[in-house]
């Protein structure tokens, strides 16, 4: 990564952090990377996931027991954990594109951090577990966190470069996964092909990869990874929702594939078109929930066009008939976390604006602005539990159940891209990578 790009990024962060600390009445921010948690009645650890507030400052995602000490107006200090340890890998002292920006102190024991930390006018960001007797400042002050979360929605050029690179890695891996599917691999094998092409392990993935064949495409967060290969005659559909990491930034991409031509293949192609229309609607000033509603209209059109429902798109949205077919939100903020923070936040200082009552799972109630990064991920699924409820409802007569039964074995379809909103254009990072 380019050193100057990071340097400019940190300058932007410093100005944000200085303002926010002043607004919240603090001088110092002590940010802990976190530490691995031991498994119950065991001596092994759960996979380590870094505190997002730590990786927001320094692109280190895999080194527990480290700290950033940020003092208003000063060069930040990084306490970087480097134990003498013959059991585990110990990372070298950082010497890379970001390391000149920090005063780096190496810690050989976790408790060595105490000599550098002070609670004077300080806030602490991180999990307090195990630090109860440390002097680190006010833990996770609500307004401070709200202001940091709000600011994180506006990505810097460095962050955009990281997100583009995460997309490049993920698209390469999605291509390998599609090839494995076409060769008849199992879900488990497809996932291995994905990870191998990404060059990242499953604990580096931003979320558990969703790799579903046939009916499994209807399970929104299906992460089971069946090891069985399907005989060719039984191969119908494949939905993969999988990302990648670059310097702690996430990709979150979904593709759906038909094994052979036919109605499901047409549905995938039609959804792909609708998804691109929705991406084009992502403009500064648009309330994201409006776009979500637009998405339901498009899902209604598809349901009607493919003969799944008798109602027009309009009346299907009105009656709620589209909802069992697309129960999740159109998309969400994307960044250091796959569902990046602040999607429901009302103002920099806090407050929550819930999504519309009919769409409780929509993660974004904010108005779209320049430099924000979103996913756009319309879907249409045949989910047994939701269809059973629909069959018992007043809307049952609006559904062609034979058509539902014909499409049910394909599970569903979702197409998901990662998009940057610029002042006068939309950048679809995912499609740009597919075009290369
Ligand atoms: N991969 C989870 C999501 O798309 O939100
Ligand atoms: Mn996804
Ligand atoms: Mn997503």
């Amino acid at each position: 990564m380019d050193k100057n790009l990071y340097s400019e990024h940190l300058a932007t962060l410093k100005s944000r952090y200085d303002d926010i600390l002043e607004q919240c009445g603090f001088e110092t921010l002590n940010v802990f990377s976190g530490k691995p948690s031991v498994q119950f009645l065991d001596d092994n650890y759960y996979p380590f996931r870094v505190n997002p507030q730590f990786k927001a400052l320094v692109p280190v995602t895999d080194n527990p027991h480290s700290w950033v000490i940020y003092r208003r107006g000063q060069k930040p200090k990084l306490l970087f954990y480097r134990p003498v340890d013959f059991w585990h890998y110990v990372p070298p002292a950082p010497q890379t594109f970001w390391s000149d920006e920090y005063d780096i102190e190496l810690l050989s024991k976790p408790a060595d951090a105490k000599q550098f930390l002070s609670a004077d006018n300080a806030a602490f960001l991180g999990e307090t577990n195990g630090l109860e007797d440390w002097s680190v400042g006010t833990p996770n002050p609500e307004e401070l966190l709200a202001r940091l979360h709000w600011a994180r929605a506006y990505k810097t050029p460095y962050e955009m470069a990281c997100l583009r690179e995460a997309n490049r890695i993920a698209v390469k891996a999605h291509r390998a996964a599609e090839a494995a599917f076409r060769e008849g691999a199992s879900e488990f094998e497809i996932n291995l092909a994905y990870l191998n092409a990404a060059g990242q392990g499953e604990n580096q993935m931003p979320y558990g990869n969703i790799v579903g064949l046939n009916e499994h495409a209807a399970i929104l967060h299906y992460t089971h990874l069946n090891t069985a290969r399907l005989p060719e005659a039984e191969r119908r559909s494949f939905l993969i929702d999988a990302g990648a990491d670059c310097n702690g930034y996430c990709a979150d991409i979904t593709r759906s594939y038909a094994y052979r031509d036919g109605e499901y293949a047409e549905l995938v192609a039609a959804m792909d078109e609708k998804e691109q229309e929705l991406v084009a609607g992502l403009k500064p000033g648009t309330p994201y929930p409006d776009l979500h509603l637009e998405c339901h209209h498009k899902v209604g059109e598809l349901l009607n066009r493919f003969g799944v429902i008798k109602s027009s798109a309009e009346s299907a949205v009105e009656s709620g008939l589209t909802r069992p077919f697309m129960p999740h939100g159109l998309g969400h903020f994307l960044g250091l976390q796959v569902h990046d923070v602040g999607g429901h936040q009302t103002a920099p200082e806090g407050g929550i604006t819930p999504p519309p009552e009919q769409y409780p799972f929509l993660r974004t109630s904010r108005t779209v602005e320049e430099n924000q990064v979103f996913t756009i991920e319309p879907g249409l699924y045949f989910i047994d539990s939701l269809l059973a409820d629909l069959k018992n409802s007043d809307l049952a007569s609006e559904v062609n159940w034979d058509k539902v039964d014909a499409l049910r074995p394909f599970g569903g379809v979702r197409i998901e891209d990662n998009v940057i909103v610029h002042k006068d254009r939309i950048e679809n990072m995912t499609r740009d990578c597919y075009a290369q």
Side-chain angles (χ1 to χ4, degrees), residues 207 210 221 241 252 254 332 338-339 363 375 377 414 416:
Y207 53 93
I210 297 164
H221 284 174
D241 181 343
D252 176 13
T254 308
H332 48 84
V338 62
H339 299 146
R363 296 179 199 272
T375 67
E377 49 183 302
R414 176 163 72 252
E416 177 176 25

Side-chain angles (χ1 to χ4, degrees), residues 210-269:
I210 297 164
V211 178
L213 297 173
N214 296 345
E215 289 87 348
H216 294 159
I219 302 172
L220 298 179
H221 284 174
Y222 173 83
T223 53
H224 179 66
L225 300 175
N226 199 338
T227 53
R229 289 186 182 172
L230 300 177
E232 175 147 34
E234 288 175 31
R235 293 177 207 151
R236 294 184 289 272
S237 58
F238 171 41
L239 184 152
I240 174 164
D241 181 343
D245 176 277
C246 174
N247 295 322
Y249 289 84
C250 310
D252 176 13
I253 298 173
T254 308
R255 288 294 181 265
S256 305
Y257 304 100
Y259 191 73
R260 44 181 73 81
D261 291 344
E263 207 160 36
Y264 177 76
E266 286 164 25
L267 181 62
V268 172

